[in-house]
Amino acid sequence: MEITLAALQGRWTTLVVRELLRGDRSYSELRAALPALSDKVLSDRLAQLGEAGVVHRDRRPGWPPRVRYTLTARGRRLGPVLQALWDWGADAPD
């Protein structure tokens, strides 16, 4: 239970996961999709999600270095959970 809560902590974490549910992304693609998110917070969230086994950081060879972020199998299993939360929030009374 602690790992689950730790993996989802933070204001922006679910939005980062939402973007990665759409497919693998570079850091700059994540920044563009979440413009209100600072570099520090995005870096922190990606590191936390990596430590929790939710996100995989794939460094591609070459120059300049290219890094892609993907959800692990564990991360992809968050999809239905987050969808249920978003659906629940959308059905909230005004």
Side-chain angles (χ1 to χ4, degrees):
M1 180 70 159
E2 285 181 40
I3 292 173
T4 302
L5 295 176
L8 295 177
Q9 77 180 358
R11 178 177 174 190
W12 296 99
T13 306
T14 56
L15 296 178
V16 172
V17 172
R18 178 196 68 189
E19 290 305 315
L20 292 172
L21 282 166
R22 296 174 176 164
D24 69 325
R25 300 279 186 265
S26 68
Y27 186 89
S28 60
E29 289 170 330
L30 289 169
R31 284 286 293 127
L34 303 166
L37 186 59
S38 73
D39 283 326
K40 180 181 180 342
V41 173
L42 179 55
S43 293
D44 289 349
R45 293 300 176 264
L46 288 169
Q48 289 170 350
L49 290 166
E51 290 172 12
V54 174
V55 169
H56 173 71
R57 182 179 186 269
D58 181 25
R59 186 181 184 286
R60 311 260 168 103
W63 188 258
R66 292 187 182 2
V67 176
R68 301 294 288 181
Y69 294 91
T70 59
L71 290 175
T72 62
R74 178 183 176 88
R76 287 188 302 274
R77 288 197 315 261
L78 284 172
V81 174
L82 294 179
Q83 186 64 54
L85 286 171
W86 290 319
D87 292 345
W88 177 79
D91 288 340
D94 293 329

